[in-house]
Amino acid sequence: MIRHLLFVLFVSASIAMSAQSVPSSGNLKLWYRAPASIWEEALPLGNGKTGAMVFGGVGTERFQLNDNTLWSGAPDPGNTPGGPAILQHVRKLIFAGKYDSATTVWKKMQGPYSARYLPMADLWLKLTATDTASSDYYRDLNLTDAIATVNYTMDGVKYTREAFISYPDKVMAVRITADKKNAIDLAVSLTSKLKYRVSASGNNGLRLEGKAPKYVANRAYEKKQVVYDDWNGEGTNFEVLVKVMAEGGSVKGGKDNINVSKANTVTIYLTNATSFNGFDKSPGKDGKDPHAEATANMQRAESKSFDNLRSDHISDYQHLFDRVSFKIDNKSENATLPTDQRLKAFTGDPRDYGLQTLYYQFGRYLMIAASRPGSRPTNLQGIWNDHVQPPWGSNYTTNINTEMNYWLAENTNLSECHQPLFDFMKELAVNGAVTARVNYGITEGWVVHHNSDIWAKTSPPGGQGWVDPGAHPRWSCWPMAGGWFSTHLWEHYLYTGDKAFLKGTAYPLMKGAAQFLLHWLVKDPATGYWVTNPSTSPENTMKVNGKEYEVGMASTMDMSIIRELFTDVIKAANTLHVDADFTDTLISVKEKLYPFHIGQYGQLQEWFKDWDRPDDHHRHLSHLFGLYPGSQITLSRTPELAAAAKKSLIFRGDVSTGWSMAWKVNWWARLHDGDHAYSILSDAFNYINPREKRETMGGGGTYPNLFDAHPPFQIDGNFGTTAGMTEMLLQSHEGYLFLLPALPSVWKKGRIKGLRARGDFEVSISWEDNRLSKAVIYAEKGGMCRLHTLQPVKVLEVASKQASGVLNNLLLAPYGLTPYDNNTEKELVKVNETIGYTIDFKTEKGGRYTIVPL
Ligand code: FUC
């Protein structure tokens, strides 16, 4: 190990010294002058299912591999028989104000923790017999074709290595070339951090068979940390196949490695599969045969040439990626630096807007690489994880993180990448109906709590059958994820206008989530309002008379999610002309939902009562759900609530964890304060050194490979920030398309092409001197368009008129009325008034409309 480390250090040092002469590359590349020696320097590839982190080593190349169906454990519903009695007890205590006792009793409701997302294997290429230094080292990840490349010169030979993972062909392909004949010598091998064995496979191939643990502990003090069954027992089996092909020279397959000598070109294909056979089946007893799947994929890939695989991969990827282009005039000289140095230099010269557009497109790249139709939804690390015990299990944390992962799907024109989340919801609805019945005695609809996994776990986590002092009802007591997820279905419909989706997929799920919540609500005997009890404001605590409590009733977030969902369901049922009685019930309950409150400081009240603390800097600000991603709080329709939300944001401060700051970018964008959004956004470009201890790292920031730092790495910050930058440039939730609603003053000149807005519109915007210079709106389906701009504009192709009345386009309809009580005597903080011009014009299906200033 030490020898290996010394070797890496030696190679890195010699590379750093000799790497001055390689030309810089375009702005859509992450590129470096040295190989990665730590995971957060390696570059991610993926096709939704298979993920690889490419290290780019010279003597030793490592591809750290994942399969997004490889998790610990097996289906484990973890529901609590006798739950309804526990619930009644908790409710009684809470209505009596006995929050402490309620918290203790709630713990009986907690089921097991989620399963862990696991690393699959490593592919190793031992490239040289001697540790000779190289020169002209260069590696990159090119976002225009999703190919990772390594170039270097050694002993006068120029080597090139390319790697990609193909979605259409379900294969990872690596090609090594040299500019001189017979120059490539290497050994190929496979290992895993899990239980595994390697054998020869056919002609010049390797086969790694692996087994995932049936249990990975969640707490350090648990006796057994990683528990394996035998090969035929419980736990997911997996397989990795490698095939090595060479032109020139010779290939010799061994038992556990393959040796190539004196080749001109080497091509490696890798396929992988697991026994995962659905969320409700044992991956051991009832698992699929991973060998059959990996073999079939390998045979199909082998029948294609590398060049064909490569060009099919590129066209598949570009079909999605090329929909959006983004440019901001960049005056910074740092644009020519390697990406890690560029990031380090950002704080000193924050004018490097090209780094921001690169980061933006990297967010879209990650979504395409990690979430494709047919794959699992992205987890806390997308699909990339190197730990058997990853932070927070690399699971689905559903009280913000999983939702944030999908905030960019619609507006950055990657609608089909949203699909895995919808597929997952179908599974959650099955398990969640059982949890609703067993835990709460609710026989209609489905529920999800704050963690889930590949087994579509829906019960509250926290440790079953034993008391875990680290398990907190402030996170476990939160049955709201089904409701929140369901708002994604409605958003997908608003962006696409896809009625078949609304009818067949969305509405049944949305209705089920609403049914559960309808039964979950109880009448507060004191106020007569419908409230949630028990309730938390995710992970935060309320302080009542100097004492902190975890569980109470009617948190603003609960009520906001329910209000948003009921509104969506009512609109969906009207659109489909179904369920009139059910919508009548929703309408009457909605009228008596516990409303928003503006508290004593002029803040948006987080809790049932005005217990908010100005010095509370908790990373979660879930009570602002109505401002974003919800649409209940807007500057134009509820300016007082918007002011209260702004006050809450000011109290909490800007600096927090990566995802929390990403959420704040979106909130400030919704408050049309581009400069404040921007100042938080620029904090995302704090260089985080992955070699430092987590405790000494700052709040939020970015690793050398542009992965977001919570810290540690968590992918939600990447996705949430890309979504937030989009929200700064285009919004469509207030009843119209608003161009440049929160353009920061430093982004003086720029252009973004191909964003999507509600109403099934595609929008391109250019600006100069901070003012709109031109926009083009493409109407995919046609229909009325309402447009808001900060300066008067005209439409070149058709007549437009000043907007008036209700727009005849339901996809663009605003939220509606938002009830609230204002209990402060203080003056509210000032918010940006909605100024500008609003016009209506008619669009035809497939029509293109040019907007120019008057
Ligand atoms: C929630 C957050 C943490 C972290 C974890 C995965 O618990 O509060 O910050 O993101 O999820």
Side-chain angles (χ1 to χ4, degrees):
M1 180 63 193
I2 289 177
R3 256 183 62 197
H4 180 73
L5 254 178
L6 285 175
F7 164 67
V8 169
L9 286 176
F10 169 72
V11 172
S12 315
S14 40
I15 287 159
M17 279 186 305
S18 58
Q20 309 313 328
S21 57
V22 183
S24 85
S25 42
N27 195 42
L28 283 172
K29 289 179 178 169
L30 281 66
W31 66 281
Y32 305 83
R33 297 288 197 191
S37 57
I38 199 162
W39 194 84
E40 291 83 357
E41 291 171 344
L43 295 168
L45 295 175
N47 64 357
K49 176 176 163 71
T50 306
M53 295 295 284
V54 187
F55 282 65
V58 173
T60 303
E61 170 64 296
R62 176 185 178 203
F63 295 88
Q64 185 267 312
L65 302 163
N66 286 101
D67 178 311
N68 77 346
T69 61
L70 186 60
W71 292 63
S72 65
D76 182 6
N79 296 317
T80 306
I86 300 170
L87 177 64
Q88 289 323 315
H89 191 185
V90 170
R91 284 191 165 154
K92 228 167 122 193
L93 290 166
I94 283 175
F95 277 142
K98 297 184 175 158
Y99 307 122
D100 254 355
S101 318
T103 305
T104 310
V105 176
W106 168 266
K107 285 193 174 188
K108 294 190 199 158
M109 197 72 96
Q110 289 171 173
Y113 287 97
S114 72
R116 325 268 92 185
Y117 178 59
L118 299 168
M120 176 172 63
D122 290 285
L123 170 69
W124 302 93
L125 312 183
K126 195 95 185 90
L127 281 133
T128 44
T130 53
D131 298 346
T132 322
S134 70
S135 62
D136 286 353
Y137 182 90
Y138 170 93
R139 74 181 162 110
D140 75 16
L141 171 64
N142 188 343
L143 303 189
T144 68
D145 57 16
I147 294 179
T149 302
V150 180
N151 285 319
Y152 58 91
T153 303
M154 190 164 341
D155 296 337
V157 183
K158 190 168 186 310
Y159 292 90
T160 301
R161 203 183 302 150
E162 279 193 328
F164 60 87
I165 304 182
S166 161
Y167 174 69
D169 286 306
K170 303 184 170 83
V171 65
M172 180 167 96
V174 182
R175 164 158 285 190
I176 301 148
T177 54
D179 70 351
K180 295 220 170 76
K181 287 209 156 150
N182 305 117
I184 306 172
D185 293 307
L186 60 84
V188 180
S189 60
L190 285 168
T191 59
S192 173
K193 290 184 172 174
L194 307 179
K195 171 166 158 171
Y196 78 102
R197 58 191 178 205
V198 175
S199 54
S201 164
N203 214 358
N204 303 328
L206 289 176
R207 174 185 184 191
L208 180 144
E209 294 164 272
K211 178 95 186 164
K214 68 174 178 185
Y215 183 71
V216 177
N218 295 272
R219 296 286 170 188
Y221 58 74
E222 281 185 62
K223 258 203 229 118
K224 296 217 163 151
Q225 290 292 305
V226 180
V227 186
Y228 285 100
D229 233 337
D230 62 30
W231 286 97
N232 298 319
E234 193 51 287
T236 301
N237 289 72
F238 60 98
E239 177 143 337
V240 182
L241 290 178
V242 162
K243 172 90 187 171
V244 181
M245 294 153 281
E247 286 163 33
S250 67
V251 188
K252 227 174 89 206
K255 203 170 83 40
D256 50 16
N257 61 29
I258 295 171
N259 288 292
V260 179
S261 69
K262 298 200 178 346
N264 307 331
T265 299
V266 176
T267 307
I268 301 168
Y269 289 172
L270 180 145
T271 60
N272 55 287
T274 75
S275 66
F276 174 72
N277 195 18
F279 72 102
D280 53 354
K281 294 201 183 61
S282 153
K285 188 162 52 66
D286 302 319
K288 279 202 296 197
D289 176 7
H291 182 63
E293 189 181 327
T295 306
N297 289 341
M298 181 59 87
Q299 280 168 355
R300 212 170 326 108
E302 276 184 82
S303 71
K304 272 175 104 160
S305 69
F306 178 84
D307 288 343
N308 283 344
L309 284 179
R310 189 180 186 278
S311 60
D312 288 351
H313 157 71
I314 293 175
S315 53
D316 163 71
Y317 170 76
Q318 289 180 344
H319 165 65
L320 294 167
F321 184 78
D322 286 357
R323 291 173 185 171
V324 172
S325 64
F326 187 14
K327 193 169 173 349
I328 300 171
D329 241 24
N330 195 12
K331 300 269 185 289
S332 167
E333 280 154 23
N334 296 343
T336 56
L337 292 173
T339 307
D340 48 347
Q341 291 176 33
R342 196 174 176 184
L343 184 61
K344 275 186 197 156
F346 185 86
T347 342
D349 177 7
R351 296 170 311 158
D352 189 1
Y353 312 122
L355 181 62
Q356 296 175 336
T357 53
L358 176 67
Y359 184 86
Y360 180 89
Q361 291 287 34
F362 184 54
R364 296 185 64 247
Y365 167 86
L366 291 174
M367 167 131 257
I368 300 168
S371 186
R372 298 294 294 272
S375 73
R376 308 301 306 171
T378 46
N379 60 54
L380 284 173
Q381 298 186 187
I383 54 171
W384 299 280
N385 166 43
D386 193 24
H387 307 281
V388 178
Q389 183 58 282
W392 296 287
S394 194
N395 69 9
Y396 297 111
T397 306
T398 56
N399 65 8
I400 170 64
N401 318 82
T402 310
E403 289 86 351
M404 183 176 279
N405 281 4
Y406 286 93
W407 285 351
L408 71 165
E410 301 296 335
N411 54 8
T412 77
N413 217 335
L414 296 173
S415 192
E416 44 287 71
C417 298
H418 218 159
Q419 188 65 43
L421 183 67
F422 305 146
D423 294 341
F424 186 40
M425 287 169 66
K426 290 184 190 157
E427 302 168 352
L428 291 170
V430 173
N431 284 351
V434 182
T435 300
R437 180 163 43 77
V438 177
N439 284 34
Y440 305 134
I442 293 175
T443 53
E444 284 186 317
W446 56 286
V447 60
V448 180
H449 292 80
H450 113 289
N451 266 192
S452 192
D453 53 25
I454 198 164
W455 316 114
K457 172 188 153 50
T458 52
S459 53
Q464 199 177 35
W466 44 284
V467 180
D468 177 357
H472 283 288
R474 66 172 179 260
W475 37 259
S476 72
C477 183
W478 190 75
M480 306 305 294
W484 190 348
F485 280 152
S486 294
T487 64
H488 281 241
L489 297 161
W490 179 244
E491 288 294 324
H492 181 74
Y493 171 68
L494 293 183
Y495 276 91
T496 59
D498 183 348
K499 263 204 189 147
F501 168 81
L502 183 67
K503 187 164 179 238
T505 300
Y507 184 71
L509 289 167
M510 292 166 68
K511 181 179 174 185
Q515 282 172 316
F516 169 78
L517 290 168
L518 209 47
H519 290 290
W520 178 251
L521 288 163
V522 283
K523 265 255 163 79
D524 172 29
T527 62
Y529 279 115
W530 289 107
V531 295
T532 51
N533 170 2
S535 165
T536 54
S537 188
E539 311 200 18
N540 202 1
T541 49
M542 57 203 198
K543 209 169 191 174
V544 185
N545 300 328
K547 205 166 171 250
E548 275 184 57
Y549 299 98
E550 298 197 28
V551 179
M553 62 195 259
S555 72
T556 298
M557 188 204 218
D558 280 6
M559 304 318 295
S560 306
I561 289 178
I562 294 173
R563 206 178 295 112
E564 191 91 17
L565 176 70
F566 282 9
T567 309
D568 294 351
V569 174
I570 294 163
K571 288 179 179 174
N574 288 343
T575 307
L576 298 170
H577 306 292
V578 294
D579 285 341
D581 291 348
F582 181 57
T583 45
D584 283 349
T585 310
L586 289 179
I587 290 167
S588 67
V589 172
K590 198 182 134 184
E591 274 166 15
K592 289 296 285 172
L593 285 176
Y594 192 63
F596 283 112
H597 289 80
I598 298 179
Q600 55 182 316
Y601 309 103
Q603 89 287 8
L604 190 73
Q605 201 172 292
E606 179 166 3
W607 312 99
F608 178 64
K609 293 211 173 124
D610 197 354
W611 294 317
D612 298 26
R613 290 164 282 145
D615 62 349
D616 178 0
H617 302 299
H618 199 271
R619 60 195 178 284
H620 287 261
L621 273 111
S622 310
H623 49 308
L624 304 196
F625 174 91
L627 179 64
Y628 185 92
S631 338
Q632 298 158 56
I633 301 179
T634 61
L635 284 169
S636 57
R637 287 166 186 270
T638 58
E640 290 199 329
L641 284 177
K646 180 173 174 179
K647 186 81 188 184
S648 296
L649 272 167
I650 294 169
F651 281 158
R652 284 291 221 272
D654 293 348
V655 177
S656 191
T657 58
W659 64 258
S660 174
M661 292 168 78
W663 202 347
K664 288 172 188 170
V665 173
N666 285 279
W667 281 317
W668 285 103
R670 284 268 167 112
L671 291 172
H672 302 167
D673 190 335
D675 283 340
H676 202 129
Y678 185 82
S679 102
I680 301 174
L681 169 66
S682 29
D683 281 345
F685 298 93
N686 285 336
Y687 175 84
I688 299 289
N689 180 353
R691 288 171 184 80
E692 263 179 41
K693 278 214 177 77
R694 193 172 139 190
E695 300 74 55
T696 60
M697 293 175 183
T702 296
Y703 291 113
N705 63 0
L706 298 193
F707 271 166
D708 170 70
H710 177 291
F713 163 53
Q714 223 174 264
I715 206 160
D716 41 21
N718 286 99
F719 291 142
T721 304
T722 296
M725 291 168 81
T726 312
E727 209 63 23
M728 289 159 77
L729 300 170
L730 175 68
Q731 293 176 14
S732 57
H733 65 291
E734 289 188 75
Y736 40 69
L737 275 57
F738 189 166
L739 308 182
L740 306 178
L743 184 68
S745 41
V746 291
W747 287 354
K748 294 222 163 354
K749 183 176 174 196
R751 165 172 69 72
I752 189 149
K753 194 182 130 288
L755 296 181
R756 303 288 301 193
R758 292 171 185 82
D760 207 5
F761 295 111
E762 190 167 296
V763 184
S764 301
I765 313 170
S766 312
W767 65 96
E768 253 175 80
D769 292 329
N770 297 98
R771 285 163 67 86
L772 176 75
S773 53
K774 185 179 159 187
V776 176
I777 295 175
Y778 170 73
E780 188 91 40
K781 287 223 165 33
M784 288 304 294
C785 182
R786 182 165 282 181
L787 182 72
H788 187 83
T789 49
L790 294 171
Q791 66 219 84
V793 293
K794 65 178 177 194
V795 187
L796 293 188
E797 291 79 4
V798 289
S800 60
K801 61 175 179 46
Q802 201 185 328
S804 63
V806 176
L807 188 76
N808 182 19
N809 184 348
L810 284 175
L811 299 178
L812 263 187
Y815 170 81
L817 282 178
T818 311
Y820 66 96
D821 288 342
N822 185 352
N823 296 332
T824 187
E825 283 163 11
K826 290 220 168 85
E827 205 182 319
L828 297 174
V829 291
K830 293 257 168 311
V831 286
N832 290 333
E833 275 172 53
T834 301
I835 45 167
Y837 306 84
T838 317
I839 56 170
D840 289 345
F841 60 97
K842 194 161 173 247
T843 70
E844 301 295 337
K845 184 177 162 62
R848 212 169 273 282
Y849 303 88
T850 317
I851 316 295
V852 290
L854 278 179

